[in-house]
Amino acid sequence: LSFTVRCGSARCSLPRLERNHMVERHFAHIRNAYAAVEDYAPWLERHRASMAQELQAPSTGPRISLVTPVYRTPPDFLEAMLSSVEAQTYVCWELVLVNASPDDEGVASVLAAHPDPRIVVVDHPQNDGIAGNTNVGIAAATGDYVAFLDHDDFLEPYALAAIARAVNDDPAVDLLYC
């Protein structure tokens, strides 16, 4: 048996074994996507000059509320996430942290080291899981748009600028995904 693969208007037939290898390589790439993170900085440096306009933060735009549930987050992860938000080139944001582990000293010390008034900490006395804690954050958000960020993620410095530019270019935008 063979399979037909289309790429644009081109078609080719592949034997089952070759098709299975292609599918396996594709899923291995998806599973290991994080491994490519180290390639991003060199790629960005090579393309920075040609992307200068795309990387520039707009001077006006929507307020973006980033909602992040926090539960016993390792301090180094939380620090990296907070620092990445504070380093955004677009400055019209708020970070709503739903702290479902207010008794965690590591979390408390990291939060105390970031007195930025755009960071709003909502101490939540119980852990309602990621969905419940996220809903608490959504209720506390005051931005024009709500975005979600995990407690162990980080944003590239131009991430929110790209979102603001997309909204500024088309105010009818209701939903963006990146």
Side-chain angles (χ1 to χ4, degrees), residues 52-114:
Q53 181 63 32
E54 294 175 44
L55 297 176
Q56 190 172 2
S59 58
T60 61
R63 183 171 192 202
I64 301 169
S65 294
L66 298 165
V67 174
T68 304
V70 175
Y71 181 73
R72 302 206 185 287
T73 306
D76 53 337
F77 288 175
L78 186 58
E79 176 65 39
M81 185 274 295
L82 286 167
S83 295
S84 77
V85 174
E86 289 176 317
Q88 291 300 298
T89 59
Y90 183 70
V91 298
C92 191
W93 54 263
E94 74 172 342
L95 175 60
V96 179
L97 298 171
V98 180
N99 185 8
S101 53
D103 59 332
D104 186 310
E105 292 179 17
V107 168
S109 68
V110 172
L111 296 179
H114 292 269

Side-chain angles (χ1 to χ4, degrees), residues 15-35:
R16 179 187 298 255
L17 188 59
E18 188 174 346
R19 178 255 185 205
N20 289 348
H21 286 303
M22 285 177 68
V23 170
E24 288 170 15
R25 283 192 309 269
H26 171 74
F27 284 109
H29 179 72
I30 291 171
R31 280 191 303 272
N32 297 315
Y34 185 76

Side-chain angles (χ1 to χ4, degrees), residues 40 44 48 55-56 88-89 156-163 165:
Y40 181 73
L44 182 59
R48 188 179 302 275
L55 297 176
Q56 190 172 2
Q88 291 300 298
T89 59
E156 290 297 331
Y158 314 102
L160 296 182
I163 291 170
R165 255 192 330 281

Side-chain angles (χ1 to χ4, degrees), residues 9-10 30 35 45 52 90 116 127 140 146 151:
S9 62
I30 291 171
E45 285 308 312
Y90 183 70
D116 191 313
N127 181 17
V146 175
H151 62 173

